[in-house]
Each structure stands twice: as C-alpha cells, then as structure tokens.
Amino acid sequence: MICGLLLAALSACGGAAVQHGSDGTSGAGGGRGGTSPGAAATTGVPGVGDRLRRRIPAVSRQVVAVYGDGKDSADATVVLYARRGPVWERVRSWQGHNGKKGWTAEHHAGDNRSPVGVFTLTDAGGVLADPGTRLPYTRSASFAAPRWWARSHWHDFDYVIAIDYNRVKGAPPDDPTRPEGEEKGGGIWLHMDHGSGTSACVSLSRAAMEYLLRTLDPDRHPVVVMGDRDALKA
C-alpha cells in the first residue's frame, strides 16, 4: 500500500528518458548558476500576455516564470520576479527542464507534457532537511526516487516545491489526492534537475531549488506562470 501511494505521488515527475534561452527580457541572460539580482524591471511579467496575466492574483508579489523553448521542447528558462511597487523586477534566472514532450493546455496523466497556466506555490518537502524555507516543509524518505530508475534520477526529489495543479493546498507535496480526478494527472512539482526532460514537472539545479526555497514567502503569495513562449504570450 505504501509503495502504491509513493508511485502515485511520483508518477508525474518520474521517468528515465534522457534529453537536454531566453527569458523574454532584456539585460543579462540566465545560466546554471543564475543571474545577479536587479537585472531588469517592468510593469508586467515579461513575455506573459493578458490571458495569463489576468490569472495572477492581485496579492501575488513573487512569480516564478517558466519559459519553455517550444511547444514540443523539454528545455526551459526559469526566472524569479519580485513585485516592488508597480513593477516586476527580475531577481534571478536559471536553465531548467519541463515535460519531455513539451507543453499542453489540456494536461492528462501520462502525456509527458507540462501544463500551461498559473498555479500557486504553497507547500514544499523532500528527502533532505529543510534548507530554511518559509513554506510548510515535509521531510520524508518517502520522497526518494525508486532505485529502479536511472541513477541520474535518484536525487530528483531531494527538494521539491508542489505546483498547485490538481492537488489539495496545505497538504504535503506527495499527497495523492486528485480533486479533479486521476485522469487530470497530478504530482507536478518544481524539483531537482537530472539534465533532461521530466514527465510533467519543472526541474532546476540544486542551487536554484535551495534559492527558491529560501526566498519564496507565503506572505507574498508566490505563483508559477508556466508554458512555452507562444502560449505565455497569448
């Protein structure tokens, strides 16, 4: 039973396939080590059109924007923005990965595509100890990737931040409850990168995950805005 719950919770983030930008702003670009803070500021989240911009809650003061290279690409650039007064300031950016088959506006379980949209970020966890996050953090060995996965994937879930897609907010990231039904998928997280596309999650370097965990603040109502660039601009 425990094994079954684990596999259900990890189903969106697993997989052993191996595969390999711009964030839409001017100024310094992102690398695996991230950019310096204060690189650029704008009155709107760059590269995000009215359709998704209207879904960003008015109270949100932190946005993690995931710019997919293309609808069918697994490569992405991830940028953290902070709202200071009327402007969104780019804080830091990193290279990352999304679903190995790209993006979709109609995600369903097993399609290997990440869902396009705006989702809150409310809960975190992982195999490792809390690095100092303000988000509720659940540490458990149950997050560990199965050892029958490729060795390159074993540390994927050392740190995770739940993306609130088809899940119960306030529950640990590996809670298997799917309010919209199993066919809509779930278990979609920000987690550590293994150098290739995921089954639906967004993956980042360990340094990036530690930075986000230490920086995201529930009082600032963080959200993730994610999709391929064309979908984000629509």
Side-chain angles (χ1 to χ4, degrees), residues 22 39 49 61 71 74 78 104 110 121 127 134 142 146 153 179 188 193 199 203-204 214 234:
S22 169
R61 294 295 182 267
K71 181 179 179 181
V78 181
T104 179
L121 300 170
V127 176
R134 298 174 189 175
S142 68
H153 294 57
I188 298 176
D193 191 58
S199 291
S203 60
L204 298 160
R214 291 168 179 159

Side-chain angles (χ1 to χ4, degrees), residues 119-139:
F119 309 100
T120 52
L121 300 170
T122 56
D123 302 279
V127 176
L128 300 180
D130 181 351
T133 186
R134 298 174 189 175
L135 298 171
Y137 189 92
T138 301
R139 184 188 187 186

Side-chain angles (χ1 to χ4, degrees), residues 30-187:
R32 292 203 176 274
T35 63
S36 299
T42 176
T43 54
V45 178
V48 178
D50 289 342
R51 181 176 62 87
L52 291 180
R53 187 176 297 145
R54 286 193 293 265
R55 298 183 190 177
I56 300 173
V59 294
S60 292
R61 294 295 182 267
Q62 291 178 318
V63 164
V64 178
V66 183
Y67 300 93
D69 278 3
K71 181 179 179 181
D72 300 319
S73 173
D75 297 332
T77 299
V78 181
V79 185
L80 174 64
Y81 294 99
R83 188 168 184 174
R84 308 190 193 283
V87 303
W88 286 99
E89 179 181 289
R90 187 177 62 189
V91 178
R92 193 161 295 197
S93 67
W94 308 270
Q95 293 176 355
H97 293 94
N98 50 264
K100 59 176 66 74
K101 290 188 177 180
W103 297 90
T104 179
E106 299 293 336
H107 175 71
H108 62 268
D111 65 8
N112 290 321
R113 291 181 179 271
S114 297
V116 175
V118 178
F119 309 100
T120 52
L121 300 170
T122 56
D123 302 279
V127 176
L128 300 180
D130 181 351
T133 186
R134 298 174 189 175
L135 298 171
Y137 189 92
T138 301
R139 184 188 187 186
S140 175
S142 68
F143 283 99
R147 286 307 187 253
W148 45 266
W149 287 5
R151 182 180 291 270
S152 59
H153 294 57
W154 285 4
H155 295 284
D156 281 10
F157 313 130
D158 282 358
Y159 291 127
V160 308
I161 300 170
I163 293 171
D164 292 336
Y165 169 90
N166 196 18
R167 69 177 300 270
V168 177
K169 296 179 185 179
D174 58 352
D175 185 302
T177 306
R178 303 288 178 257
E180 298 179 50
E182 296 295 327
E183 70 281 357
K184 292 284 289 183

Side-chain angles (χ1 to χ4, degrees), residues 183-224:
E183 70 281 357
K184 292 284 289 183
I188 298 176
W189 302 337
L190 300 172
H191 67 67
M192 284 171 52
D193 191 58
H194 52 250
S196 65
T198 70
S199 291
C201 297
V202 173
S203 60
L204 298 160
S205 68
R206 175 170 177 164
M209 285 298 299
E210 289 177 338
Y211 186 88
L212 287 175
L213 283 165
R214 291 168 179 159
T215 304
L216 295 179
D217 183 350
D219 290 340
R220 305 192 75 189
H221 306 281
V223 300
V224 60

